Amino acid sequence: MTDYPKMTAEERKAEYAKVTKEYEDLKARGLKLNMARGKPGKAQLDLVSDIFSLMQKPEDYVSDGIDVRNYGELSGLPAAKRLFAEILGCKPEQVFVGGNASLQLMYDTISKAYTHGLLHSERPWCREPVVKFLCPSPGYDRHFKVTESFGFELVTIPMTDEGPDMDAVEEAIKDPAVKGMWNVPKYSNPDGIIYSAETIRRIASMKPAAPDFLLMWDNAYCIHEFEGDYVEFPDILSECEKYGNADMVFEFASTSKVTLPGAGISCFACSEANMAYMEKLLTVQVISFDKVNQQRHVLYLKDKAHTLELMKKHAAIMGPKFRCVVEALDREIAPLEIASWRRPKGGYFVSLNAMPGTAKRTLALCKEAGVTMTGAGATFPYGKDPQDSNIRIAPSLPPVEELEQAIAVLCVCLKMAALEKLGV
Amino acid sequence: MTDYPKMTAEERKAEYAKVTKEYEDLKARGLKLNMARGKPGKAQLDLVSDIFSLMQKPEDYVSDGIDVRNYGELSGLPAAKRLFAEILGCKPEQVFVGGNASLQLMYDTISKAYTHGLLHSERPWCREPVVKFLCPSPGYDRHFKVTESFGFELVTIPMTDEGPDMDAVEEAIKDPAVKGMWNVPKYSNPDGIIYSAETIRRIASMKPAAPDFLLMWDNAYCIHEFEGDYVEFPDILSECEKYGNADMVFEFASTSKVTLPGAGISCFACSEANMAYMEKLLTVQVISFDKVNQQRHVLYLKDKAHTLELMKKHAAIMGPKFRCVVEALDREIAPLEIASWRRPKGGYFVSLNAMPGTAKRTLALCKEAGVTMTGAGATFPYGKDPQDSNIRIAPSLPPVEELEQAIAVLCVCLKMAALEKLGV
């Protein structure tokens, strides 16, 4: 097998005919497979469904003297704060435990900045002529969408192997209209990159022109290794504090991929000054989040060590799926020199860069053959990948047997699109 | 016992000495009682805690073919929509099932109007020079606080025995800056009034100058009778539709006082056009609410008839508490002509009007004697009761024995404050 760019026109023609035949055969199978979203598979749901057997004894209804079944405790159960604090490495009093979705807490933080302003805002962001937000890309489409929905101008920051390009960030934050930055610092979505110590130091010590710069630190995959041991990661709150930036950061996490997606618990963590400010705003909005579910999670997860044991069991389900994807790419695509991809050890995605100008075509072909993928461009601001290259693969939902078929389809589509681009 | 206003100065002096003595005796008991919030008591929590025994069998994880444990179904489980629709008398497709707090859904609706505008808004409300909101008063302090927090101008509308004074409402809505109105239409908070058919007709057929007028219809106590049979109540969505106002209303409800406060499920109901508009905004904010808890509630409550049976059991706990309050007032206060109160048959409050100018003093005295009540003025916009008269009694939390003591304290404080006002 020669790599495609080096093939003669004749060879490409022949290869295209062969690959198209393979594609038609796969299409004829009438597949209906989904690699679009970081959605856990059924085996992972079954793994944790013994959580429903808890909360059976009256003593389970009480936590630190609080009847978890009644109203109250806006910022969450102290025991749930302790659990998240231990996992994130911050202090319990820096933790606000919310409902089933950290995305909602993130949206709400941005929304509050917009409607009321943050602790150090001169005015609510809706009164600013322009608000710009830094989007390390490829990144998480839902993050970008939140800031886009408030009319912010999204500024693309390139990703490097160590996290966001900090030269670009440090330049951008000189503009006082730049109000914040999205981050998935551990096993970034979709690259699976762990921000380096130096990147974190530069982030924590930033001196943005905006006094109310908002570092959105979505630690979505903080304990989500699927290969190898748990990787320690610095507490961003104390890092920021070290450089006089205690109030700059809001960290987010959830158990959506620890217990149940959509029925877990979430949190944000921030300085105590930010906490006091946010609680004053949040008390208008909600009496308390679901403390029964918080208690259920405290009883189920117990502490960090016990939670990490559970994550090993998730890894035993997730690991083979990721290996299946990467091995297929290594076997089918690597020799052709038409794409590159990362080999993450945690998180929920494999990020693949196809030959520039072929991502859209590749995914259209996949769709036609019954394989749904995250839309091309989704990992960039406004859904527009300037290179039309990045493809996010989410292998968690299908069982391995289905995944093998789905990735086979993807490989064939990558080939077809590349050959078409090179000319056939 | 003569009524106080008719007493001579001498008689009042003697009475004040007697009442003060009673007060000091009560104070000496070192009570710590709470009638501040519509918080269910422990007996009510225990009544429904068998809800935790559900979700044990794998077939319970599936509803209409949906695995409730995974992401998805932004607007909620179809079965949960059917349950709320049956209770409210609207259509399932008009229902969005949310998380544990209807207050959060209400806040979010107002917030979305502010940040993005509603379906018929010319611009987001944050771009309006002035936004005014109608607040039938006495009303629910948390409602008023939400609109106050966005800087809206709160317009007091008097309450009558049939609901808000509709002459005042119809006059007010000629102003295009008047963007909406709060309502607790059945067993209003705190008066316990059921809006009359004529009031509802006039509300549903309003012609507000604002094209995006928002009728906030918090049907918090839709099935919350504690005395007598369930009272049928019209579906506001079809009422509004009848008069060409389909998109004017958002209705809210929850199971906070049906199952567990803070761990129930909530919903909003609106026209299908509004639903499509809101889902487009909400999909940016959240993937899905807690469907496991929605399913738990579907399994537990089953349907309207079964839910009404459960409400009878709540009534058996709540009824005696309300009777205890009203009987004490009848016995202790009625002959004195210093206050009046309502006799609700549902909801969570008794609304008492003390002699004008004495509410604050009464509640300060209560507090000193260890009885916490909703703050004076809380039932009016900006927390300011122009008459300093309305007192909201929330008898649900304390057991009857404690309630008897608490109400005894309140009665003595009412007497002292009235005598002080009349001159002693």
Side-chain angles (χ1 to χ4, degrees):
Chain A
M1 205 150 44
T2 326
D3 62 68
Y4 283 3
K6 288 192 190 137
M7 277 183 177
T8 64
E10 210 57 25
E11 285 171 328
R12 278 204 297 270
K13 221 172 187 131
E15 175 76 1
Y16 189 66
K18 182 178 146 255
V19 170
T20 305
K21 172 74 175 65
E22 284 171 31
Y23 177 71
E24 293 303 334
D25 289 351
L26 284 166
K27 210 169 107 175
R29 291 193 199 169
L31 301 173
K32 218 187 145 192
L33 304 170
N34 195 313
M35 295 197 296
R37 285 282 157 198
K39 211 170 161 173
K42 185 169 181 301
Q44 287 179 274
L45 306 180
D46 290 340
L47 170 65
V48 297
S49 289
D50 49 335
I51 194 171
F52 297 136
S53 66
L54 299 170
M55 300 298 292
Q56 302 299 325
K57 306 182 299 288
E59 58 264 39
D60 293 340
Y61 307 159
V62 181
S63 173
D64 293 306
I66 298 157
D67 191 325
V68 304
R69 300 169 300 170
N70 219 330
Y71 288 123
E73 305 301 316
L74 170 64
S75 60
L77 286 183
K81 293 184 193 193
R82 291 194 295 268
L83 175 63
F84 273 121
E86 193 197 357
I87 288 172
L88 298 174
C90 64
K91 298 181 219 154
E93 56 271 29
Q94 293 173 323
V95 176
F96 185 106
V97 189
N100 73 314
S102 59
L103 182 64
Q104 191 139 21
L105 293 178
M106 290 183 242
Y107 182 97
D108 200 52
T109 305
I110 302 279
S111 186
K112 291 276 188 293
Y114 190 80
T115 58
H116 291 81
L118 297 173
L119 179 59
H120 299 294
S121 294
E122 282 155 2
R123 59 189 82 89
W125 292 4
C126 68
R127 303 280 171 241
E128 298 284 353
V130 186
V131 174
K132 299 180 191 169
F133 222 84
L134 306 186
C135 300
S137 302
Y140 182 30
D141 57 344
R142 290 189 186 270
H143 283 170
F144 300 165
K145 253 307 189 239
V146 169
T147 31
E148 186 186 347
S149 84
F150 285 95
F152 301 171
E153 197 178 297
L154 308 186
V155 180
T156 301
I157 297 289
M159 280 293 276
T160 75
D161 287 347
E162 306 203 356
D165 177 342
M166 287 309 298
D167 292 342
V169 170
E170 282 160 3
E171 188 55 36
I173 61 174
K174 291 176 184 167
D175 177 356
V178 171
K179 287 288 196 185
M181 175 181 179
W182 287 110
N183 296 275
V184 182
K186 189 175 170 184
Y187 304 122
S188 70
N189 177 350
D191 282 331
I193 287 167
I194 301 184
Y195 284 20
S196 70
E198 173 62 5
T199 298
I200 291 172
R201 190 197 59 72
R202 284 174 77 177
I203 288 176
S205 62
M206 286 193 293
K207 293 293 167 225
D212 53 352
F213 188 89
L214 173 60
L215 185 68
M216 293 292 285
W217 199 256
D218 182 4
N219 212 340
Y221 308 111
C222 50
I223 50 174
H224 298 60
E225 283 76 15
F226 54 73
E227 213 179 293
D229 285 331
Y230 167 69
V231 176
E232 288 287 347
F233 194 69
D235 163 36
I236 190 68
L237 270 60
S238 46
E239 286 297 312
C240 285
E241 196 183 351
K242 204 188 290 178
Y243 297 99
N245 278 330
D247 300 338
M248 180 174 74
V249 60
F250 278 78
E251 180 173 23
F252 301 88
S254 82
T255 68
S256 290
K257 293 170 180 95
V258 177
T259 59
L260 293 165
I265 59 173
S266 63
C267 78
F268 69 78
C270 62
S271 73
E272 285 158 86
N274 273 334
M275 187 64 74
Y277 180 80
M278 291 307 281
E279 283 192 24
K280 229 173 61 188
L281 294 177
L282 281 160
T283 192
V284 177
Q285 174 171 4
V286 66
I287 299 170
S288 48
F289 284 89
D290 186 342
K291 294 189 304 298
V292 166
N293 208 29
Q294 291 178 14
Q295 168 73 346
R296 196 179 277 120
H297 277 75
V298 167
L299 295 174
Y300 188 67
L301 296 176
K302 294 188 177 87
D303 54 26
K304 183 173 178 179
H306 190 258
T307 306
L308 288 176
E309 278 173 43
L310 174 61
M311 295 314 287
K312 284 275 180 199
K313 295 180 194 161
H314 280 294
I317 299 169
M318 288 277 283
K321 296 186 181 189
F322 278 82
R323 281 192 289 279
C324 164
V325 167
V326 173
E327 281 165 14
L329 292 171
D330 283 349
R331 192 176 57 239
E332 293 291 323
I333 304 297
L336 310 181
E337 296 289 338
I338 57 170
S340 61
W341 49 94
R342 295 184 175 271
R343 296 157 192 286
K345 296 190 165 184
Y348 262 68
F349 305 101
V350 174
S351 180
L352 177 144
N353 284 315
M355 182 180 292
T358 67
K360 264 191 204 151
R361 173 64 179 155
T362 300
L363 298 187
L365 286 166
C366 282
K367 196 172 179 186
E368 221 184 298
V371 176
T372 306
M373 306 274 297
T374 312
T379 53
F380 282 79
Y382 308 110
K384 282 180 196 145
D385 175 358
Q387 302 274 340
D388 185 26
S389 163
N390 190 246
I391 291 175
R392 187 181 83 161
I393 306 171
S396 52
L397 184 63
V400 171
E401 318 79 76
E402 291 186 15
L403 200 56
E404 276 167 356
Q405 298 184 58
I407 201 74
V409 170
L410 174 62
C411 287
V412 168
C413 297
L414 281 167
K415 292 178 193 175
M416 280 178 76
L419 288 165
E420 288 171 5
K421 187 78 189 171
L422 291 165
V424 283
Chain B
M1 205 150 43
T2 327
D3 65 67
Y4 284 1
K6 288 192 189 134
M7 278 182 175
T8 64
E10 209 58 25
E11 286 170 329
R12 278 207 295 272
K13 219 171 188 126
E15 176 75 2
Y16 189 67
K18 183 176 146 260
V19 170
T20 305
K21 172 74 175 63
E22 284 171 30
Y23 177 72
E24 293 302 334
D25 288 350
L26 284 166
K27 209 168 105 177
R29 290 193 199 169
L31 301 175
K32 216 185 145 190
L33 305 169
N34 195 314
M35 295 196 296
R37 284 283 156 195
K39 209 170 164 174
K42 186 169 180 300
Q44 286 178 276
L45 305 180
D46 290 340
L47 170 64
V48 297
S49 289
D50 49 336
I51 194 171
F52 297 136
S53 65
L54 298 170
M55 301 298 292
Q56 301 299 324
K57 305 183 299 287
E59 59 264 38
D60 293 342
Y61 307 159
V62 181
S63 173
D64 293 305
I66 298 157
D67 191 326
V68 304
R69 300 169 300 171
N70 218 330
Y71 288 123
E73 304 302 316
L74 170 65
S75 61
L77 287 182
K81 293 184 191 192
R82 292 195 294 271
L83 175 64
F84 272 122
E86 194 197 356
I87 288 172
L88 297 175
C90 64
K91 298 180 222 154
E93 56 271 29
Q94 293 173 324
V95 176
F96 184 107
V97 189
N100 72 317
S102 59
L103 181 64
Q104 190 139 20
L105 293 178
M106 291 183 241
Y107 183 96
D108 199 52
T109 305
I110 303 278
S111 186
K112 291 275 187 293
Y114 190 81
T115 59
H116 292 79
L118 297 173
L119 179 59
H120 299 294
S121 294
E122 283 155 1
R123 59 189 82 88
W125 292 5
C126 68
R127 304 281 171 239
E128 297 285 351
V130 186
V131 174
K132 299 179 191 171
F133 222 85
L134 306 185
C135 300
S137 304
Y140 182 29
D141 56 346
R142 289 188 188 270
H143 284 170
F144 300 166
K145 254 306 189 242
V146 168
T147 31
E148 186 186 345
S149 84
F150 285 95
F152 301 171
E153 197 178 296
L154 308 186
V155 180
T156 301
I157 297 289
M159 281 292 276
T160 75
D161 287 346
E162 305 201 358
D165 177 342
M166 286 309 298
D167 292 342
V169 170
E170 283 159 3
E171 188 56 37
I173 60 173
K174 291 176 185 167
D175 178 355
V178 171
K179 288 286 196 187
M181 175 180 178
W182 286 109
N183 296 276
V184 182
K186 190 175 170 185
Y187 304 122
S188 69
N189 177 352
D191 281 332
I193 287 167
I194 301 184
Y195 284 21
S196 71
E198 173 62 5
T199 298
I200 291 172
R201 190 197 59 74
R202 285 175 76 178
I203 288 176
S205 62
M206 285 193 296
K207 293 294 167 224
D212 53 352
F213 188 89
L214 173 60
L215 186 67
M216 293 291 285
W217 199 257
D218 182 6
N219 212 341
Y221 309 109
C222 51
I223 50 172
H224 298 61
E225 283 75 16
F226 55 73
E227 212 178 294
D229 286 332
Y230 167 68
V231 176
E232 289 286 348
F233 194 69
D235 163 37
I236 190 67
L237 268 60
S238 47
E239 286 296 311
C240 284
E241 195 183 352
K242 203 187 294 178
Y243 297 99
N245 278 329
D247 301 337
M248 180 174 73
V249 60
F250 278 77
E251 180 172 22
F252 301 87
S254 81
T255 69
S256 291
K257 293 170 179 95
V258 177
T259 59
L260 292 167
I265 59 173
S266 63
C267 77
F268 68 79
C270 62
S271 73
E272 284 158 85
N274 273 334
M275 187 63 73
Y277 180 80
M278 291 307 282
E279 282 192 22
K280 229 173 60 187
L281 294 177
L282 281 160
T283 193
V284 178
Q285 174 172 5
V286 66
I287 300 170
S288 49
F289 284 90
D290 185 343
K291 295 189 303 299
V292 166
N293 208 29
Q294 291 178 14
Q295 169 72 344
R296 195 179 275 121
H297 278 75
V298 168
L299 295 174
Y300 188 68
L301 297 175
K302 294 188 176 88
D303 55 24
K304 182 173 178 177
H306 190 257
T307 307
L308 288 176
E309 278 173 44
L310 174 60
M311 295 313 288
K312 284 275 181 198
K313 294 180 195 161
H314 281 294
I317 299 168
M318 289 277 282
K321 297 186 181 187
F322 278 83
R323 282 194 288 281
C324 164
V325 167
V326 172
E327 281 164 16
L329 293 170
D330 283 349
R331 192 175 59 240
E332 293 292 322
I333 304 296
L336 310 180
E337 297 289 339
I338 57 170
S340 62
W341 51 93
R342 295 184 177 272
R343 296 156 192 286
K345 295 189 164 183
Y348 262 69
F349 305 102
V350 174
S351 180
L352 178 144
N353 285 315
M355 182 181 290
T358 66
K360 263 190 207 152
R361 173 64 179 154
T362 300
L363 298 187
L365 286 166
C366 282
K367 194 171 180 187
E368 220 185 297
V371 176
T372 307
M373 306 275 296
T374 313
T379 55
F380 283 79
Y382 307 109
K384 283 181 194 145
D385 175 358
Q387 302 274 340
D388 184 26
S389 163
N390 189 247
I391 290 174
R392 186 180 83 160
I393 305 170
S396 53
L397 185 63
V400 171
E401 318 79 75
E402 290 185 14
L403 200 57
E404 276 167 355
Q405 298 183 57
I407 201 74
V409 171
L410 174 63
C411 287
V412 168
C413 297
L414 282 167
K415 292 177 192 174
M416 279 177 76
L419 288 165
E420 288 170 5
K421 188 79 188 170
L422 292 164
V424 284

